[in-house]
Amino acid sequence: MKQENIKKFKSVQSRLFLSLCVVVCLIIVFLIIVNSFILESFYLYSKINTLEGVYEQINTYISKDYNIAELEEKLERISVNNDFDIIIKTGENITIYSTTKDYMGMLKEFGKIIPYSNKDECIEGNENYTIKSVQDTTTSINYILLTGTLNNGYSLYIRMSIPSIRESVKISNRFLYTIAIFVIIIGGVVVSYISKRFTKPIEELNDIAKKMSKLDFSHKYKETNLGDEIDELGKSINSMSTKLETTITQLKSTNRELERDIEQKSKLEQMRSTVISDVSHELKTPIA
């Protein structure tokens, strides 16, 4: 029983199944590692590009002289879609738009980080805007802050929370872990089916070869016409089986003829001996 288990473990099907399972698991582990260590940086990079795009988009809205209602609607859509906090102020430091109705609260929130922006990490920037990594001195929450000047001289502030990015990454990781479990389960079933499908023709060829070793040529490989290596091997075994069967049949026929010739020769030899014995006896009697 133990030898049968070892033999089954060493079979092509088992090794193919284990190899495919290992490949699937390695791919999942690779995705988890990439998701854990690279996704946050990639997501942050994408958000920074979005910030730059939003700056250009707001510049376009301002230059088209939309009325306040239309401008607020478009800015609100940008804020909701991207989870940004937006403030636009005139040159006289008057707020004309904020993503919240609590203008003073929002300004205080921005005021906690704007004075410290000079010593914070600068990520991107040009003559019109700068994007920095800043920290709220009260809550110690990190933000990505864009401060810039629009074409009409208005000041623009766009704030994005870094913890929200990290939370999105955590959610993505949890989702990936859940998907990984289902992938392993479903992948195991699929891999098992694929390994059986690949090894079934090999097992069939093995059975045919065993029968051929016992001079049983009644079984033939069912050709699939796929043109792959297994199908070509099956055709070769069928051809070899047919030739062996023909050759062995001819040998048996020749052997039977040889046996008949030997038997006939033996009978002739026996008759000759009998005749010689009879003649010798007949000759000895008169002489005596």
Side-chain angles (χ1 to χ4, degrees):
M1 186 70 178
K2 187 176 181 180
Q3 290 181 348
E4 290 180 0
N5 292 332
I6 294 174
K7 186 177 180 182
K8 186 178 293 186
F9 181 77
K10 290 183 177 180
S11 65
V12 174
Q13 180 179 339
S14 299
R15 285 185 291 172
L16 181 61
F17 174 79
L18 290 174
S19 299
L20 292 175
C21 286
V22 169
V23 170
V24 171
C25 291
L26 287 176
I27 291 174
I28 292 173
V29 171
F30 174 76
L31 290 176
I32 291 173
I33 292 174
V34 170
N35 209 48
S36 300
F37 295 98
I38 300 178
L39 181 61
E40 182 176 340
S41 299
F42 177 77
Y43 192 67
L44 188 61
Y45 173 78
S46 299
K47 281 293 187 180
I48 290 171
N49 286 338
T50 303
L51 274 175
E52 294 173 342
V54 167
Y55 171 82
E56 299 296 339
Q57 196 172 2
I58 293 175
N59 239 337
T60 302
Y61 292 157
I62 293 295
S63 63
K64 288 185 178 180
D65 293 329
Y66 287 111
N67 59 48
I68 296 298
E70 290 176 330
L71 182 62
E72 286 184 352
E73 181 183 353
K74 292 181 180 299
L75 294 178
E76 185 69 25
R77 188 178 297 117
I78 292 174
S79 174
V80 171
N81 290 341
N82 298 283
D83 194 21
F84 291 163
D85 295 323
I86 302 174
I87 287 181
I88 299 177
K89 297 193 296 183
T90 64
E92 291 78 20
N93 207 29
I94 299 173
T95 300
I96 62 170
Y97 176 77
S98 173
T99 52
T100 176
K101 299 303 180 184
D102 183 12
Y103 298 130
M104 295 305 298
M106 178 64 71
L107 286 172
K108 288 179 181 179
E109 288 294 318
F110 273 81
K112 293 174 185 177
I113 57 178
I114 293 173
Y116 299 93
S117 61
N118 291 330
K119 64 180 181 180
D120 290 316
E121 180 185 355
C122 183
I123 300 174
E124 294 283 345
N126 57 31
E127 57 186 14
N128 296 320
Y129 63 84
T130 58
I131 299 176
K132 295 185 177 183
S133 174
V134 297
Q135 186 180 57
D136 189 324
T137 57
T138 303
T139 61
S140 298
I141 296 176
N142 294 323
Y143 294 93
I144 298 297
L145 177 66
L146 181 147
T147 58
T149 304
L150 299 173
N151 293 338
N152 61 356
Y154 288 176
S155 297
L156 173 67
Y157 304 98
I158 305 177
R159 188 180 68 173
M160 174 182 61
S161 173
I162 293 180
S164 65
I165 295 176
R166 290 172 180 164
E167 184 62 29
S168 299
V169 172
K170 289 180 181 178
I171 294 173
S172 177
N173 281 334
R174 287 197 294 268
F175 177 74
L176 183 59
Y177 297 147
T178 304
I179 292 297
I181 294 172
F182 284 102
V183 167
I184 290 173
I185 295 173
I186 297 173
V189 175
V190 173
V191 166
S192 177
Y193 170 76
I194 292 174
S195 61
K196 285 182 179 179
R197 186 170 181 179
F198 269 96
T199 56
K200 186 177 179 181
I202 299 176
E203 292 176 352
E204 183 181 351
L205 291 172
N206 185 41
D207 291 337
I208 293 172
K210 286 180 179 179
K211 292 182 183 297
M212 286 173 60
S213 66
K214 298 177 182 179
L215 302 180
D216 182 2
F217 304 101
S218 59
H219 291 78
K220 302 293 182 184
Y221 175 75
K222 296 179 181 178
E223 300 177 8
T224 59
N225 294 322
L226 293 176
D228 56 7
E229 291 83 353
I230 295 178
D231 200 45
E232 292 297 324
L233 178 60
K235 292 178 181 178
S236 299
I237 287 180
N238 285 345
S239 177
M240 183 174 64
S241 175
T242 302
K243 289 180 180 179
L244 281 174
E245 185 178 10
T246 303
T247 302
I248 291 174
T249 302
Q250 290 176 351
L251 285 173
K252 286 181 179 180
S253 177
T254 304
N255 189 45
R256 283 195 296 268
E257 291 178 1
L258 184 60
E259 286 178 352
R260 284 197 298 267
D261 291 342
I262 292 173
E263 184 179 357
Q264 188 175 3
K265 185 177 180 181
S266 176
K267 289 180 179 181
L268 290 173
E269 185 66 27
Q270 186 177 1
M271 289 174 62
R272 187 177 68 82
S273 298
T274 302
V275 170
I276 292 173
S277 177
D278 290 342
V279 169
S280 298
H281 179 72
E282 292 297 331
L283 287 174
K284 286 179 183 179
T285 302
I287 292 173

